[in-house]
Amino acid sequence: MSSSELLQYIEKTPVREQWQKATNITITIGGIDLIETYKRKGSMADYFTTIYKLKRNVNQLLQRITFDNPNAEVMIMGFYNPGHPDDALYSFANMLLQKVNKIY
């Protein structure tokens, strides 16, 4: 599920009712956003647009969670690069993942 799909999903399901009761909330989102850009053979600008949208979506998600449950501890899981350092895209992927992790 992409970050945009998650924002739509939480508006249509009882998930918000659940996190109102939660003490800890863990979010792992963003990988699909980057993978979809990769599958489209996106340019560098496309990746930065994706990262900008991801940042906006995560901020909206956090605002909704903290509005509904200001006492919950929210943890956002970052990314790592599972690729091999010899791969041609390894350095590029590292740069993107570092930008996303910095946002988180």
Side-chain angles (χ1 to χ4, degrees):
M1 176 178 296
S2 72
S3 60
S4 296
E5 291 168 333
L6 178 59
L7 284 172
Q8 292 173 6
Y9 176 77
I10 63 172
E11 294 301 325
K12 299 176 183 175
T13 63
V15 171
R16 289 179 81 174
E17 294 171 14
Q18 294 300 314
W19 75 44
Q20 289 173 342
K21 303 171 194 171
T23 56
N24 295 294
I25 299 169
T26 304
I27 300 171
T28 57
I29 198 73
I32 297 299
D33 299 74
L34 294 170
I35 290 169
E36 287 175 352
T37 303
Y38 175 78
K39 285 181 178 179
R40 288 192 318 264
K41 299 191 184 312
S43 67
M44 181 79 85
D46 292 333
Y47 280 101
F48 285 111
T49 299
T50 296
I51 291 171
Y52 172 78
K53 288 178 184 176
L54 180 58
K55 179 180 181 179
R56 184 190 66 217
N57 291 344
V58 169
N59 283 335
Q60 288 178 7
L61 181 61
L62 290 173
Q63 287 174 359
R64 290 178 185 170
I65 291 171
T66 56
F67 178 81
D68 289 341
N69 188 345
N71 298 317
E73 184 173 337
V74 180
M75 295 159 272
I76 302 176
M77 304 301 289
F79 294 99
Y80 71 97
N81 187 348
H84 192 276
D86 293 336
D87 187 282
L89 295 175
Y90 185 82
S91 294
F92 179 66
N94 263 354
M95 183 266 306
L96 291 175
L97 296 178
Q98 287 175 13
K99 289 193 177 300
V100 172
N101 286 339
K102 185 175 181 181
I103 290 167
Y104 287 177

